[in-house]
Amino acid sequence: MSKFQWFLYAFLVVYIVISDSDAKLQRKSVVYRTIYVDPSSKGNFKTIQSAIDSVPSNNNNWICIYIKAGVYREAVKIPYDKPFIFLKGAGKWKTYVVWDNHESIATSATFTCDADNIIVKSMTFTNSYNRSPGGSGNPMRTALAAKISGDKSSFYRCGFLGLQDTLWDVQGRHYFKLCSIQGAVDFIFGSGQSIYERCTISVIASSLKGSVGFITAQSRTSPNETNGFVFKDCKIVGNGQTFLGRAWRDYARVIFYNTSMSGIVVSQGWSSWGVPNGDENQLTFGEYYCRGPGSNTAGRVKWANRLSDDLLNQLTSMSFIDDQGWMSKQVFNMLD
């Protein structure tokens, strides 16, 4: 066989392998089927949970559950054995899921997501126990809007509304884009490895009647853990006064990057609340390239804002959550 024939043979083999891989990825990336939720009985199901329950266990094809505009008064859970679900609402402020459980962070969430490879778009999850803040007649309690513990999950144009412990970003790699997150105390908390991009952080600390709020309570427990919260190109708005975060565990890590901060942010910025023996130097709390009246770092605690350029670049790049390319394998053509 001539050199040209060998070259042609090798080229065809590589082409077939790549084409086969692309075909498998394409099959994986398209919606296998769409289920419609409509309370008026014009869809496949009346409730979101019944639609999720219809997805077979150990599902490995993307299934879209389209949810008609409206208010759905139910607790919704995606169990760990039902990955590759795409929940798609009619709009952030058009499709609402509302529930009012409280007291336990393990069981009170309006939306619980334990599965890997989940996409949620254009809907809002509300825990109504303390809604409206100060006007519900209920004492402030732990009352989650969402609990996210699966890996490789993305949220686009979603709302998470609560007062205390609104969003439990438990664990796993997560991406939040153009989301609205509202609360007063520890309302973004957990050990997730997450990027929040162009999100609105809405503080309602005035409902605390003179007490100061906390946006984050991150719970990294070891310097070897890769998790942390990164807020990129976000904005902090609202009322009352708030800390950017406090340490729930010994090695908490939170970064605000290129974020607009209103004057509600207290001058200290951060609290070492959960750190034993006051060893704040093991915390990673930082603000870089931020703006607005709340971004003045002159009065910040001494142990904040000490990241090297290399670590800052590492934490604020998409590779922080996507070094394996899982986001590129998700169905971005469905998100338009």
Side-chain angles (χ1 to χ4, degrees), residues 39 46 48 68-74 94-99:
K46 291 184 177 181
I48 302 168
K68 186 181 178 181
V71 178
Y72 295 80
R73 299 192 180 278
E74 56 176 310
K94 294 181 179 179
T95 302
Y96 292 86
V97 184
V98 182
W99 202 240

Side-chain angles (χ1 to χ4, degrees), residues 28-44:
K28 192 74 171 179
S29 298
V30 298
V31 177
Y32 175 68
R33 62 189 175 105
T34 299
I35 301 169
Y36 295 91
V37 177
D38 186 341
S40 67
S41 300
K42 294 181 180 179
N44 303 106

Side-chain angles (χ1 to χ4, degrees), residues 89-146:
K92 185 195 297 185
W93 309 126
K94 294 181 179 179
T95 302
Y96 292 86
V97 184
V98 182
W99 202 240
D100 63 353
N101 206 348
H102 54 281
E103 302 292 349
S104 168
I105 61 173
T107 61
S108 68
T110 298
F111 174 59
T112 300
C113 184
D114 293 332
D116 297 345
N117 288 295
I118 299 297
I119 301 173
V120 185
K121 183 187 178 187
S122 300
M123 55 194 305
T124 288
F125 304 97
T126 302
N127 192 309
S128 61
Y129 178 73
N130 284 125
R131 304 277 299 171
S132 300
S136 64
N138 296 323
M140 189 173 72
R141 294 286 187 269
T142 289
L144 278 66

Side-chain angles (χ1 to χ4, degrees), residues 210-335:
S211 296
V212 179
F214 298 89
I215 295 174
T216 64
Q218 213 277 331
S219 54
R220 183 167 168 257
T221 60
S222 160
N224 299 319
E225 290 185 359
T226 59
N227 65 79
F229 298 159
V230 177
F231 297 86
K232 292 180 62 176
D233 307 324
C234 293
K235 56 182 178 180
I236 298 172
V237 299
N239 53 59
Q241 288 191 307
T242 187
F243 283 85
L244 294 170
R246 59 180 173 179
W248 188 17
R249 295 291 186 266
D250 298 1
Y251 290 86
R253 181 159 64 178
V254 180
I255 305 298
F256 284 90
Y257 183 87
N258 194 34
T259 289
S260 172
M261 301 181 179
S262 73
I264 63 174
V265 179
V266 298
S267 60
Q268 305 97 300
W270 307 92
S271 168
S272 59
W273 170 67
V275 178
N277 305 317
D279 191 4
E280 294 93 351
N281 290 324
Q282 62 197 27
L283 302 173
T284 306
F285 287 157
E287 310 152 59
Y288 295 88
Y289 309 109
C290 295
R291 59 196 181 279
S295 67
N296 187 344
T297 59
R300 292 295 193 258
V301 291
K302 293 183 297 184
W303 39 267
N305 305 316
R306 295 182 290 104
L307 276 69
S308 67
D309 289 343
D310 286 345
L311 182 56
L312 180 63
N313 291 333
Q314 174 189 333
L315 294 175
T316 55
S317 69
M318 290 304 295
S319 62
F320 174 58
I321 60 171
D322 192 30
D323 60 329
Q324 297 177 348
W326 62 269
M327 291 185 65
S328 64
K329 296 175 184 177
Q330 289 196 344
V331 201
F332 289 110
N333 59 306
M334 294 194 300
L335 300 174

